[in-house]
Amino acid sequence: MTGLALNCTINKKSLFDRKHYFYADLPAGYQITQQRVPIAVNGSLSYSLCKDNKMSQMVTKTVRIKQIQLEQDSGKSLHDDARSQTLIDLNRAGVGLMEVVMEPDMCCGEEAAAAVRELQLILQTLGSSQAIMAEGQLRVDANISVHHPGEPYGVRTEVKNINSIRFLAKAVDYEIHRQIKELENGGTVLNETRAFDSKLGCTVPMRDKEGKQDYRFMPEPNLPPLILYDAKSLPANVNHQQVVNIDWIHERLPDLPSVKRAKLVELYGILPEHSFTLMNEDGLMDFFEDVVKQTQMKPKKVIGWILNDLLSHLKQHSLTAKESPISSFFLADLLNLLENGDISSSAAKQVFEELWKGEGKTPLEIVKEKQLELIQDQEELEQICQAVIDEREKEVMAIKGGNQKVINKLIGLVRKATRGRANPLLVKQILEKKLSE
């Protein structure tokens, strides 16, 4: 399924091999992998990133997928520098994993991070993996080398087991600058394995690869070839539940992130860059759609509240949309009050802040408790407007002299006098009427 989603050619017959090497986290002394004929080859992954850090300028790029292979995971080495010892966690040793091998088509940490984020979304959409990096469900080994345009690739280093997209971008960029500096100072780049130290923000050496290792690959004697079928090669009398039909899986692929983003733009009329934000933030797309279903406000206005208010609060408190103290129901309820003209936009912001406290009060209860309802009494508004006009003779003269922009100052004074409970459009109408008399 992952191979099809990444536009790969699926090998109907793939083989398993033994890769022999000694390392403390591999107690068997060999790893089962797919060196000769992996399950999928020659694919591609398209991803998008901001140009010059401007969300309005998205650039789409493509990285080639060399192959996808099935292999065994190794254990986990835990290095204790304080005690000068290494502990080995073998709980995951021998567990099967899927490795996606990309071609060297990316040139910076930002591109690598964007490509891996898109891959993560695809895996989560397919259900191939939950792909939560912090829990070790998706890890990245980044190979980095530098060279002048037109020249062969330089000696590469491998930064192992990166468990965060943010750390991936930092590790790649640091390693690029480190290698360039090393070469410019007359040094050489070693073919070595390194790790990214997130506290120091740099990569550190783990072990060198200078001596070419003979892995003594051999066919895995305990595993037969993995045989897959398509509609043409499927045997006539076979039990369909006992074989894997590539075409059957292809027809049932869910909408991938790129398709979902296009549908968000088409269905709700939002900007393409907003669709990327909704998809990239965990649970935010579902939250947005839940709000849209429950409110009378247009999606184009809802997205402003989701991205400018909700998301900024979530990021400040390191929360996901699923952990938001404001439910989609309460936010929709608040937006309905605003859309129906029951409260002003400034009052809505105050209600949002109260909802964020998570005290369980509904937006309407907060509005009544704080007396934030818009003043509906026309006569009361007219009296307040007249009082402002009487106190601001200089501004009134300027308006009557042709400077209509000054009326905005009077509107602000009326809203201040009403503590934001006056409808600015109605206030403007009343002021204009009174000033023309």
Side-chain angles (χ1 to χ4, degrees), residues 257-426:
S258 58
V259 176
K260 285 184 178 180
R261 284 190 286 261
K263 286 186 175 180
L264 285 171
V265 172
E266 182 180 354
L267 184 61
Y268 300 115
I270 62 177
L271 296 174
E273 54 265 29
H274 291 163
S275 71
F276 276 92
T277 305
L278 289 178
M279 288 289 296
N280 286 344
E281 300 294 334
D282 185 24
L284 196 62
M285 182 187 74
D286 292 335
F287 194 100
F288 166 73
E289 292 192 308
D290 286 345
V291 173
V292 169
K293 290 174 187 174
Q294 300 174 81
T295 184
Q296 301 156 18
M297 184 177 281
K298 291 182 179 179
K300 284 185 178 181
K301 292 171 70 176
V302 173
I303 194 70
W305 279 87
I306 294 292
L307 300 185
N308 299 330
D309 296 277
L310 179 70
L311 184 57
S312 63
H313 276 69
L314 291 173
K315 285 187 175 296
Q316 284 173 20
H317 296 84
S318 300
L319 298 173
T320 67
K322 296 174 184 176
E323 300 167 322
S324 170
I326 302 178
S327 67
S328 59
F329 175 78
F330 274 2
L331 182 57
D333 201 11
L334 169 60
L335 298 185
N336 282 334
L337 290 174
L338 178 59
E339 190 69 10
N340 293 334
D342 296 321
I343 57 175
S344 66
S345 57
S346 59
K349 300 285 185 184
Q350 294 179 55
V351 175
F352 184 92
E353 294 296 337
E354 291 297 318
L355 288 172
W356 186 261
K357 294 177 182 178
E359 296 175 351
K361 297 175 184 176
T362 68
L364 186 58
E365 287 172 343
I366 295 170
V367 166
K368 290 182 176 179
E369 181 183 303
K370 302 287 183 181
Q371 296 183 337
L372 296 173
E373 308 100 323
L374 282 177
I375 296 173
Q376 304 294 341
D377 189 333
Q378 177 97 2
E379 187 176 335
E380 182 182 352
L381 271 180
E382 287 182 356
Q383 290 175 356
I384 296 170
C385 288
Q386 186 61 54
V388 169
I389 290 173
D390 292 342
E391 293 172 1
R392 294 288 172 166
E393 185 177 340
K394 183 180 177 182
E395 284 80 359
V396 170
M397 293 295 292
I399 294 169
K400 290 185 175 181
N403 189 352
Q404 294 298 316
K405 290 182 179 180
V406 180
I407 198 170
N408 292 325
K409 184 174 182 180
L410 298 185
I411 294 172
L413 291 169
V414 172
R415 296 193 69 194
K416 184 178 180 181
T418 59
R419 292 183 296 127
R421 296 172 58 214
N423 184 332
L425 293 177
L426 183 56

Side-chain angles (χ1 to χ4, degrees), residues 10 30 32-33 80 109 117 149 169 216 251 266 327 370 391 411:
I10 309 298
Y30 65 86
I32 298 175
T33 183
D80 187 346
R117 177 55 178 150
R216 293 174 290 130
E251 290 168 1
E266 182 180 354
S327 67
K370 302 287 183 181
E391 293 172 1
I411 294 172

Side-chain angles (χ1 to χ4, degrees), residues 99-216:
E99 181 170 304
V100 179
V101 183
M102 299 180 182
E103 297 283 10
D105 296 335
M106 295 163 284
C107 64
C108 64
E110 184 184 10
E111 289 188 12
V116 170
R117 177 55 178 150
E118 188 70 9
L119 175 62
Q120 184 182 42
L121 289 172
I122 290 172
L123 294 173
Q124 291 169 342
T125 299
L126 297 174
S128 303
S129 170
Q130 289 181 305
I132 301 172
M133 297 189 74
E135 297 180 9
Q137 296 166 355
L138 173 64
R139 304 192 298 276
V140 178
D141 296 340
N143 288 273
I144 303 111
S145 68
V146 297
H147 67 109
H148 291 291
E151 294 182 1
Y153 292 125
V155 176
R156 63 178 175 150
T157 59
E158 182 179 27
V159 184
K160 296 284 286 185
N161 291 326
I162 303 170
N163 63 356
S164 153
I165 289 176
R166 185 164 56 92
F167 292 165
L168 170 62
K170 289 184 175 181
V172 170
D173 287 338
Y174 174 85
E175 191 59 20
I176 289 171
H177 290 118
R178 184 191 72 82
Q179 292 186 21
I180 291 173
K181 186 177 180 181
E182 184 73 30
L183 294 171
E184 287 178 344
N185 290 335
T188 57
V189 175
L190 299 177
N191 182 13
E192 62 182 350
T193 300
R194 300 176 73 89
F196 180 69
D197 188 319
S198 58
K199 293 180 180 177
L200 299 176
C202 65
T203 63
V204 293
M206 291 174 64
R207 56 185 181 270
D208 71 76
K209 295 183 176 181
E210 288 303 316
K212 188 170 177 61
Q213 191 163 0
D214 180 8
Y215 290 116
R216 293 174 290 130

Side-chain angles (χ1 to χ4, degrees), residues 55-105:
M55 279 297 293
S56 59
Q57 297 181 24
M58 304 293 291
V59 178
T60 299
K61 297 197 172 189
T62 300
V63 56
R64 291 169 294 155
I65 305 296
K66 181 181 180 180
Q67 64 190 55
I68 298 176
Q69 61 200 41
L70 303 175
E71 62 183 34
Q72 285 180 312
D73 203 349
S74 60
K76 183 179 181 181
S77 299
L78 304 168
H79 304 291
D80 187 346
D81 294 332
R83 299 180 182 179
S84 299
Q85 64 180 11
T86 296
L87 305 176
I88 307 295
D89 180 355
L90 295 177
N91 281 298
R92 73 186 190 196
V95 174
L97 63 78
M98 172 176 62
E99 181 170 304
V100 179
V101 183
M102 299 180 182
E103 297 283 10
D105 296 335

